[in-house]
Amino acid sequence: MLSPVEVEAILISLRVAGTAVAWILVPGIALAWLMARRDFRGKALLDGVLHLPLVLPPVVVGYLLLLSLGRQGWLGRWLNEWFAVSLPFTWQGAAVAGGVMAFPLLVRAVRLSLEAVDVDLEAAASTLGAGRLRVLFTITLPLALPGLLTGTVLAFARALSEFGATITFAANIPGETRTLPLALYTLIQTPGQEGAAARLCALSVVIAMVSLVASEWLARRARRRLRQRDG
C-alpha cells in the first residue's frame, strides 16, 4: 500500500504533467506546422533552439528558467509587477519546467506527422474554396492525428518524470512541488525508506510503460480510423 505522502507525490505529478502539456500543446502544434510547412532564414537556428532541452543538462534549463522567470529575471519581474505572478518554488513553476523539457518531444512528433501529410490534399481543398484555417482543421490536423496523439502522450510522460529542471526552478517542497521523481530522490536520501523508494521506483516504471504503450495504441487506432474513412 502507498503511504499518504507517496499518494500526494503522485497526485502532484499528475497535476504538474497535465498542466505542462496543456500550456505547450497549442504553441507546440503551431511551431511544428511552421517547421514542416515553411522555409525561412534562421530555420536551422530555430530548430536547434527548440531541441536544446534535449541536449542540455536539465539543471542548466532550470537555472536558465530562474534567470528569466525568477522575481529578478527579465520576464519574471514583469510578471510579478503586473500580474502578481511568481513561478519559482510553486507547482505552476514545476509545470513550466516540465513543459519546457517536454516541448521538443511534442514538436518533433507533430512535425514528422505533418511532413507525412500529402500537401496535394491541402492544395485540392484550397482550390475548392476552403480557407487556410478550414484546411488546417479539416485536412491537415486530422491526417496528422497519430503524431499529435503520440507527441502529447510522450510529452506528458516526459513532464511526469522531470527532475533536474524541476528541482532547480521549483525546488523540492512537500505538498507543493515534490513530484514523483523528487519524492523518490528524497526517500533514497532518507535512512530506512528503502521499501518506499522501491515502491515509487516500480510505480515510475509502470507509468512509463503505460505511457509508451498508450502512445503506440492511440497512434495505431488513429491510423486505422483514417484508413477506414479513406476506404
Side-chain angles (χ1 to χ4, degrees):
M1 296 295 294
L2 296 175
S3 68
V5 174
E6 294 164 353
V7 172
E8 180 183 70
I10 295 171
L11 294 178
I12 292 174
S13 296
L14 294 174
R15 178 171 62 174
V16 166
T19 304
V21 172
W23 80 260
I24 67 173
L25 190 59
V26 172
I29 294 174
L31 277 173
W33 181 89
L34 179 67
M35 299 298 292
R37 290 289 186 268
R38 292 290 184 266
D39 289 320
F40 51 89
R41 286 185 177 181
K43 183 177 180 178
L45 178 62
L46 177 59
D47 186 63
V49 172
L50 290 175
H51 287 84
L52 266 181
L54 292 180
V55 295
L56 283 175
V59 175
V60 173
V61 176
Y63 179 66
L64 292 175
L65 288 174
L66 274 178
L67 292 180
S68 57
L69 294 176
R71 289 195 174 185
Q72 301 303 318
W74 62 272
L75 182 57
R77 183 186 299 113
W78 178 76
L79 289 174
N80 191 38
E81 290 178 354
W82 288 88
F83 301 101
V85 172
S86 180
L87 292 174
F89 315 118
T90 64
W91 74 265
Q92 293 91 343
V96 169
V100 170
M101 297 301 297
F103 194 70
L105 293 177
L106 174 65
V107 173
R108 186 65 177 173
V110 177
R111 178 184 175 180
L112 291 175
S113 190
L114 288 172
E115 289 176 342
V117 174
D118 189 353
V119 294
D120 291 337
L121 295 176
E122 298 175 336
S126 298
T127 58
L128 294 175
R132 291 184 177 180
L133 287 179
R134 186 174 182 182
V135 171
L136 176 66
F137 286 104
T138 60
I139 302 294
T140 309
L141 290 183
L143 291 177
L145 184 59
L148 178 58
L149 292 174
T150 299
T152 301
V153 174
L154 290 179
F156 179 85
R158 181 66 185 87
L160 195 68
S161 63
E162 171 50 34
F163 176 81
T166 301
I167 199 171
T168 305
F169 183 60
N172 185 9
I173 305 173
E176 179 70 22
T177 65
R178 182 169 288 176
T179 58
L180 189 59
L182 299 184
L184 177 57
Y185 173 78
T186 302
L187 290 174
I188 292 174
Q189 303 298 315
T190 305
Q193 295 296 325
E194 292 80 6
R199 287 195 301 271
L200 287 187
C201 179
L203 185 60
S204 299
V205 173
V206 170
I207 291 175
M209 285 299 300
V210 169
S211 299
L212 293 174
V213 172
S215 173
E216 180 64 21
W217 180 81
L218 289 172
R220 289 186 178 183
R221 183 178 176 86
R223 284 193 293 266
R224 189 181 305 115
R225 293 186 64 179
L226 288 173
R227 286 195 296 268
Q228 291 174 351
R229 189 186 68 175
D230 294 339

